[in-house]
Amino acid sequence: MNDKDLGVRVARLRRAARMSQAELAGPKLSPSYVSLLEAGKRTPSADVVQYLAGRLNCEVADLVGVTESRAEEIDLALKYAEMTALNGEPEAALAEYERIQDTIDRDEQPALWLAAETGIAQSLERVGRLEEAAARYEGLRTASERSRDFVAGLPVTVALCRCYRELGDLSHAITIAEEAVTEIERLNLAPTRPGIELLSTLVGLHCERGDLHRASYLAARAIEKAGQVSDRKALGAALWNASVAMHRNGRTADAVELIEQALAIYSEGDDTRALARLRNAYAAVLLEFEEPDIALAEGLLTQSASALSDVGSDIDLAYCETAMARVKLRSGDPAASVEHAEKALGLLGPLHRLQSARTLLVLAAARLSQGDQVAAREAYERSALMLEASSAGRQAAAAWSELAEILEAAGQPERAIWAYRQGMRCLGQHGRILPAGSLLPRA
């Protein structure tokens, strides 16, 4: 059953009831929404379907086409839970998936139970309950290994890596992804969209950790393999993460070229959330130019925020707020930058350590622009510690270096030297020429 089928049923029942679209819309909907729904161009939530059934004085089953088969009923309920999630209601989707799973006997209907479990894991991730989501994904990964359907389990592996990345455990995420890539090579599997998305995810993980040579190598492989499949979205994912590698390598112009190609591909599809997140990434790259196009970056982020307010999660919005904080900082408005950064931190909560660390870096720079060195120093130090705990050594080193500059400007040379040493340690420089505690002679 698709949206067009539902729209046809709504239109048929409305005409049979001799109702206009405005009468069916009532106080809750608009006539234009009903028109688009009947044309198959809108996906109603479960609440809207219930509302329409009440207006038409019919059963929900009359609208959605439920059959007497129990399995088909569950499958249909799962589809509407998915629609609820796509409509930007992850909490409601989570409750619906949990309700559905409670009605399923895992031994008798394992496929439906696992579908509900996948929905629960995805919803937990969307609402920011990452540790619970990771635990669910781990169980799903184990189930896919037992079924020996390796390719079918790859999206779960990608999602699991994404959770560990957000939790700040880059090393574990990379280990999981590398093991899966190695298994693909061992089995000599033909390129598939899930496999290319896994490879692209691994590119992003290595970029985060600072292993840019490995990231660039894998990015080239991902683009090459994406050219061997007909799925355009696979190529879009490869180009997206390759642009991240280019960006981190300082090749901003090349990164822009790749990300614009990815934008063209995602604009062809209907994944509004992914397109909005890609616009965020595009805006971030634009800000790296010596003379950034502030207006274009801000326009992209405004588009992104508008879309994500409907279909995104709090975490998606937090990424957008952090990027907007950088825009305001580059445009000379540190007060607005602080406002956006603090809003992002509120949306992220305590678990999203890696992104929180990046947001703290922006907040620190904004505070410094305001002349508040104490608040800037505190934010930089918190950021550096979070990055270091996430195994993001190169990024942590940069944060410690910026902190050292603040300390030096504040007249605290000893603390500045300490911060520089912390940064060098993050880059693997642990040795010292002089014994601990020795002093260099004064000039």
Side-chain angles (χ1 to χ4, degrees), residues 70-76 78 100-101 104-106 108-118:
R70 175 61 182 153
E72 289 185 3
E73 287 180 13
I74 295 172
D75 186 59
L76 191 62
L78 288 169
I100 294 167
Q101 193 178 63
I104 302 172
D105 186 310
R106 182 173 184 175
E108 292 183 3
Q109 297 171 310
L112 291 173
W113 190 92
L114 287 170
E117 182 72 358
T118 301

Side-chain angles (χ1 to χ4, degrees), residues 292-356:
D293 191 335
I294 298 292
L296 176 56
E298 187 166 4
L300 288 164
L301 292 172
T302 301
Q303 279 184 285
S304 176
S306 176
L308 292 174
S309 65
D310 292 330
V311 300
S313 65
D314 284 351
I315 310 308
D316 294 327
L317 287 168
Y319 273 75
C320 191
E321 289 292 335
T322 300
M324 189 63 84
R326 294 183 64 222
V327 165
K328 295 300 182 184
L329 186 61
R330 291 300 299 268
S331 62
D333 190 351
S337 179
V338 167
E339 183 179 340
H340 284 288
E342 289 183 337
K343 185 176 179 180
L345 289 171
L347 290 167
L348 287 166
L351 293 180
H352 292 259
R353 290 187 284 269
L354 195 57
Q355 181 60 21
S356 292

Side-chain angles (χ1 to χ4, degrees), residues 28-85:
K28 187 173 180 179
L29 305 174
S30 67
S32 62
Y33 178 88
V34 172
S35 176
L36 290 169
L37 188 151
E38 290 185 353
K41 296 179 179 179
R42 285 293 181 271
T43 301
S45 66
D47 287 342
V48 169
V49 174
Q50 186 71 48
Y51 172 77
L52 290 172
R55 299 286 295 174
L56 291 165
N57 194 27
C58 67
E59 299 295 326
V60 169
D62 296 327
L63 296 181
V64 299
V66 174
T67 69
E68 294 182 359
S69 166
R70 175 61 182 153
E72 289 185 3
E73 287 180 13
I74 295 172
D75 186 59
L76 191 62
L78 288 169
K79 288 177 181 176
Y80 271 89
E82 182 182 3
M83 287 182 187
T84 302

Side-chain angles (χ1 to χ4, degrees), residues 159-179:
L160 184 59
C161 291
R162 190 169 57 237
C163 282
Y164 283 129
R165 171 189 174 278
E166 291 294 335
L167 285 166
D169 195 346
L170 286 176
S171 295
H172 191 41
I174 288 172
T175 297
I176 292 171
E178 289 280 13
E179 287 176 353

